Amino acid sequence: MAKGVRNTHHEYDEYLPVWQRCEDAVSGQRAVQAAGVRYLPMLTGEKVEDYQARVMRSDYFNATWRTIAGLSGMAFRKAVTTNLPAAIEPFLKNIDLAGTDMTTMAKLLVEDVLEVGRIGLLVDHPPMPENVTTITVAVGEQLGLRPTLKTYDAQSIINWRYRTIGNATVLAMVVLKEEAEVPGDSEFEWGCEDRYRVLDLDEAGFYRQRVFRINDQTKQDELVGEPVYPVMRGRKMTYIPFFILGVDGIQTECDEPPLIDLVDANIAHYQVNSDYRHGLHFTGLPTLFLSGIADEEPLYIGSARAITSPQPDAKGEYLEFSGQGLGAVEKALASLERRMAVLGARMIADETKQVETLGATQIKRAGENSILASAVIAVSDVIERALRVMAEWVGASGEVVYQINREFTPVAMDAQQLTALVSAWQAGAVSEAELFDVLKRGDVIDGEKSLEEHQSEIDVSVTMPRPANDAQQVAA
């Protein structure tokens, strides 16, 4: 039977297991354990109940999510730089009309790009009332009739097609898998069913939206409602305002998740940890061994009472594990933890045992900074593109700037460097604004503060000497 709208792109089929592995690794122990044999194979001859008990004893240390959360925190440690048309600036407080602000959505985009290397962003607009082509921004905001942004994870983008129009490669079709709530047998029951939103350019080149469901009886595609042609300023659109984002920017094809090596090391660590905990379970406690004692005699185990036997050849002893097998497993765990630290999970490495120079630290972080920088640049670019579409939709003009911070780590500044900078300012080698900018980047001054605010707080005309070059100009 033909799949119809459920047909998936061949790259989607190839990367879906990879994305699932990354998602499970990030989700943590519950997801990894629930996956069962996908990440922890059964032993030869192992019973199901024994396997389930072994899974429950196995720990999963979520180094993958710790890394992503740490990198995201580095990117958003300073406020986003924005410069937007006044008409769309209020949209940022509720960018999706579901209560999500733009900064929260930007963090989601960065985290998904780091997690699976792929996420979609749709600029959408509710259909206008009949015979109405334009309304004011204020009325649109009040009625919810204004453009919004919505994200789609990699698993939801099941099919796509590009084509060349006017020497440019453009998105011609994309199928998005969604869930829709459906009523149950009573007012207190409800369920969900799969829906498929198709965004494409029709035969005339106009942007069209259609939604399909699968008929329960025929198992065939069934159109929900009528096709919708989004209208911008009274005209049909000739492009699809949907952006598929990857680490290096807008993607036309799938690519390996940037932290896939860390994900694989994290799952390997889980498997070795399972071996270790399994070994401890059977060797951690001493086992009592009795020889020469009849089975019918009562036995008591514990320090409150001793066991005696009239048989002259009876004896008892405790058997304890004394081999080196678990030591080798412990070394394997430590080796994997060091590997995860190198791959990005620096927070699990013991860095208190050595002192690093600033240069060595910067070199050590160069790899993770480069991955994060690429993600931040890509997300900033796609958000700017989406906000330009929103501005165009409401007829707003002007510059659109949305730049996520790229100064991921504070610039270490000691007293000697600070003194040299102030001396350079006093000598007229740098301006006061340049000095202020350096102090902000070094986290000496609050990054949210403006130069004017800083000057008013310290009363600059009284507490700071005039630069030498300015004094010479006054004297002249």
Side-chain angles (χ1 to χ4, degrees):
M1 181 181 295
K3 292 184 178 180
V5 73
R6 290 168 289 176
N7 186 63
T8 54
H9 195 282
H10 67 90
E11 288 189 3
Y12 178 88
D13 298 334
E14 177 184 353
Y15 279 92
L16 183 59
V18 180
W19 297 333
Q20 185 64 57
R21 190 160 77 247
C22 292
E23 184 179 290
D24 289 341
V26 168
S27 297
Q29 180 162 304
R30 182 185 298 180
V32 172
Q33 288 183 341
V37 295
R38 188 189 308 161
Y39 305 125
L40 191 63
M42 294 184 69
L43 301 175
T44 302
E46 189 174 28
K47 296 180 180 179
V48 173
E49 57 270 24
D50 292 334
Y51 172 76
Q52 292 174 342
R54 181 162 65 92
V55 168
M56 293 303 297
R57 288 194 301 268
S58 303
D59 292 327
Y60 175 76
F61 179 67
N62 200 341
T64 304
W65 170 243
R66 287 169 177 255
T67 298
I68 292 174
L71 293 175
S72 177
M74 290 164 64
F76 290 93
R77 74 183 189 91
K78 291 187 176 182
V80 176
T81 301
T82 61
N83 185 11
L84 305 172
I88 69 168
E89 195 164 358
F91 298 168
L92 271 63
K93 297 179 182 178
N94 186 9
I95 197 65
D96 58 356
L97 285 181
T100 307
D101 63 83
M102 189 68 252
T103 300
T104 300
M105 183 173 285
K107 289 180 180 178
L108 171 67
L109 291 169
V110 169
E111 290 170 2
D112 264 49
V113 167
L114 292 173
E115 179 182 335
V116 298
R118 189 174 177 84
I119 189 170
L121 185 64
L122 172 65
V123 189
D124 204 8
H125 197 303
M128 299 288 282
E130 191 174 355
N131 299 324
V132 175
T133 57
T134 59
I135 57 176
T136 66
V137 174
V139 172
E141 180 74 10
Q142 182 180 3
L143 299 178
L145 296 173
R146 53 91 160 170
T148 61
L149 298 185
K150 184 178 180 180
T151 60
Y152 288 84
D153 62 30
Q155 290 100 319
S156 299
I157 310 170
I158 69 170
N159 202 359
W160 57 92
R161 185 173 67 250
Y162 288 85
R163 72 184 186 205
T164 302
I165 300 177
N167 295 323
T169 300
V170 300
L171 183 65
M173 184 273 292
V174 62
V175 181
L176 307 171
K177 186 177 181 180
E178 303 175 338
E179 279 191 347
E181 187 175 294
V182 293
D185 296 332
S186 73
E187 62 178 305
F188 305 106
E189 298 176 288
W190 59 88
C192 289
E193 71 173 14
D194 291 336
R195 297 280 177 89
Y196 299 86
R197 184 175 301 274
V198 180
L199 317 178
D200 67 349
L201 299 178
D202 70 3
E203 295 78 4
F206 292 117
Y207 171 40
R208 173 179 60 182
Q209 281 198 23
R210 290 171 293 165
V211 177
F212 293 87
R213 66 181 295 274
I214 307 304
N215 186 288
D216 294 334
Q217 280 73 39
T218 65
K219 305 302 180 183
Q220 298 297 311
D221 302 344
E222 183 177 274
L223 186 64
V224 179
E226 297 296 324
V228 174
Y229 284 86
V231 175
M232 179 180 287
R233 313 303 293 171
R235 296 183 177 181
K236 291 182 180 180
M237 301 171 63
T238 56
Y239 65 93
I240 302 173
F242 185 81
F243 307 96
I244 302 177
L245 174 65
V247 176
D248 297 322
I250 293 178
Q251 289 184 328
T252 57
E253 56 187 23
C254 300
D255 203 356
E256 287 293 315
L259 296 180
I260 186 61
D261 291 338
L262 174 59
V263 169
D264 289 341
N266 209 164
I267 291 174
H269 183 273
Y270 165 68
Q271 293 169 342
V272 175
N273 172 271
S274 178
D275 293 340
Y276 181 69
R277 293 293 300 273
H278 188 58
L280 285 180
H281 177 70
F282 288 102
T283 62
L285 295 176
T287 300
L288 179 63
F289 173 74
L290 300 175
S291 174
I293 299 177
D295 292 341
E296 63 270 11
E297 295 182 23
L299 299 177
Y300 300 91
I301 300 177
S303 59
R305 180 167 181 169
I307 300 174
T308 61
S309 174
Q311 300 184 32
D313 58 346
K315 64 178 181 178
E317 60 182 325
Y318 275 100
L319 302 179
E320 297 186 65
F321 173 74
S322 60
Q324 299 299 315
L326 290 183
V329 179
E330 285 181 307
K331 290 180 180 179
L333 284 173
S335 176
L336 282 167
E337 287 167 7
R338 288 193 297 270
R339 182 181 176 192
M340 287 190 289
V342 172
L343 292 171
R346 301 187 66 253
M347 62 287 296
I348 68 171
D350 185 4
E351 299 182 83
T352 61
K353 296 181 181 179
Q354 59 181 357
V355 178
E356 295 179 329
T357 65
L358 174 60
T361 301
Q362 290 174 335
I363 291 172
K364 189 173 182 180
R365 295 184 179 180
E368 65 186 17
N369 282 358
S370 64
I371 292 174
L372 182 57
S374 296
V376 163
I377 291 170
V379 171
S380 298
D381 175 66
V382 81
I383 290 177
E384 285 184 347
R385 292 185 185 218
L387 292 176
R388 288 192 192 101
V389 175
M390 294 184 77
E392 185 181 1
W393 223 315
V394 298
S397 60
E399 187 178 18
V400 174
V401 175
Y402 192 94
Q403 290 294 313
I404 302 170
N405 161 59
R406 298 175 196 175
E407 296 171 9
F408 305 132
T409 54
V411 179
M413 187 176 296
D414 55 29
Q416 184 178 359
Q417 291 172 318
L418 186 58
T419 301
L421 282 169
V422 174
S423 297
W425 172 78
Q426 291 174 335
V430 295
S431 69
E432 185 176 350
E434 289 171 328
L435 172 63
F436 180 75
D437 183 60
V438 172
L439 294 179
K440 283 178 65 175
R441 286 190 284 114
D443 282 352
V444 177
I445 294 176
D446 184 0
E448 300 289 330
K449 192 179 295 182
S450 68
L451 176 59
E452 292 74 18
E453 291 171 334
H454 178 67
Q455 288 173 331
S456 65
E457 288 180 6
I458 66 172
D459 192 10
V460 66
S461 61
V462 175
T463 61
M464 299 186 72
R466 186 183 299 276
N469 61 339
D470 286 355
Q472 293 170 0
Q473 292 173 3
V474 171

